[in-house]
Amino acid sequence: MKLHIFGASGSGVTTLGHSLGQKLGTAYFDSDDYFWLKSEPPFTMKRDPEERNRMLSRDLDTTGHWILGGSVFRWGDGLLPDFDLVVFLYLPPAARMERLKKREWERYGDLIFTDEQRAAQHQQFIDWAAGYDHATGLTGRNLQAHNDWLKQIQSPVLRIEGTQTVQEREQLIMHKMNELKILVP
């Protein structure tokens, strides 16, 4: 089983991926763990693309069944195997932005308002994320680019649009996997 779950930042990819991985007893790999170096503040230092791709390939190749979360559609030709199923999560912009702001507050607290550098980083991130649906100033990771990629891939695609619970999303995925006769470990 090789599942890929992706969507805009704040659409619930990581939460769903971890939950589904636990439910199925399957490894979950998050693209952020490969794309970003550990840093303080976080998400400010990108990993070298060759190293990132080598790490991801190694992990996927040594794991028989897995779930890969996050946007990886421009990480290099031939890097990713054919997926058994690609799940695209889409959340209405207002709900997604509300989730992102709540998540940022829960992660970083007052720092995103009181520390000048962190406040600027937070605002830049929120502005970037808000542009997803309209591709305003986003290079690469936006709704149009994701939709274009979905038209090109050969793997089956399940689009989940709306504010379903994690459990409802899991049920939709499990139903699609049964329909496609994807073996669950």
Side-chain angles (χ1 to χ4, degrees), residues 6 10 27 36 50 58 80 84 102 127 129 140 145 156:
F6 79 106
W36 299 104
E50 287 183 23
R58 179 197 67 224
L80 300 170
D84 295 321
K102 182 178 184 242
D127 291 345

Side-chain angles (χ1 to χ4, degrees), residues 95-108:
R96 187 173 57 80
M97 293 309 297
E98 183 179 320
R99 275 190 188 182
L100 276 176
K101 289 174 183 176
K102 182 178 184 242
R103 182 182 79 186
E104 290 286 291
W105 171 257
E106 288 170 353
R107 281 184 179 173
Y108 309 117

Side-chain angles (χ1 to χ4, degrees), residues 6-174:
F6 79 106
S9 187
S11 63
V13 170
T14 302
T15 302
L16 177 60
H18 279 294
S19 180
L20 189 60
Q22 283 187 321
K23 182 176 186 162
L24 299 176
T26 302
Y28 173 73
F29 299 106
D30 192 305
S31 63
D32 280 345
D33 295 335
Y34 300 92
F35 190 85
W36 299 104
L37 292 168
K38 299 276 186 234
S39 63
E40 188 55 44
F43 307 112
T44 56
M45 297 176 55
K46 294 178 184 177
R47 187 180 308 277
D48 173 72
E50 287 183 23
E51 179 185 0
R52 169 197 75 200
N53 292 353
R54 193 170 38 255
M55 290 171 60
L56 180 59
S57 290
R58 179 197 67 224
D59 288 348
L60 296 182
D61 289 345
T62 59
T63 308
H65 300 280
W66 45 259
I67 300 167
L68 173 61
S71 186
V72 294
F73 70 103
R74 291 190 176 154
W75 279 27
D77 294 334
L79 169 69
L80 300 170
D82 289 333
F83 301 110
D84 295 321
L85 179 62
V86 173
V87 179
F88 175 62
L89 301 180
Y90 182 81
L91 208 60
R96 187 173 57 80
M97 293 309 297
E98 183 179 320
R99 275 190 188 182
L100 276 176
K101 289 174 183 176
K102 182 178 184 242
R103 182 182 79 186
E104 290 286 291
W105 171 257
E106 288 170 353
R107 281 184 179 173
Y108 309 117
D110 282 341
L111 274 179
I112 60 175
F113 302 112
T114 60
D115 179 90
E116 188 175 324
Q117 179 186 359
R118 294 299 287 275
Q121 181 187 5
H122 167 74
Q123 190 58 53
Q124 182 180 18
F125 170 69
I126 293 298
D127 291 345
W128 171 83
Y132 175 82
D133 291 273
H134 311 290
T136 53
L138 292 180
T139 54
R141 190 172 172 195
N142 58 56
L143 181 58
Q144 184 62 52
H146 281 167
N147 281 325
D148 290 347
W149 182 71
L150 287 169
K151 291 176 190 171
Q152 297 171 12
I153 63 170
Q154 300 299 311
S155 303
V157 173
L158 172 62
R159 295 177 73 98
I160 301 176
E161 299 185 15
T163 58
Q164 302 86 350
T165 66
V166 172
Q167 293 75 25
E168 290 169 331
R169 289 176 169 192
E170 287 175 344
Q171 289 174 352
L172 292 169
I173 293 169
M174 296 300 292

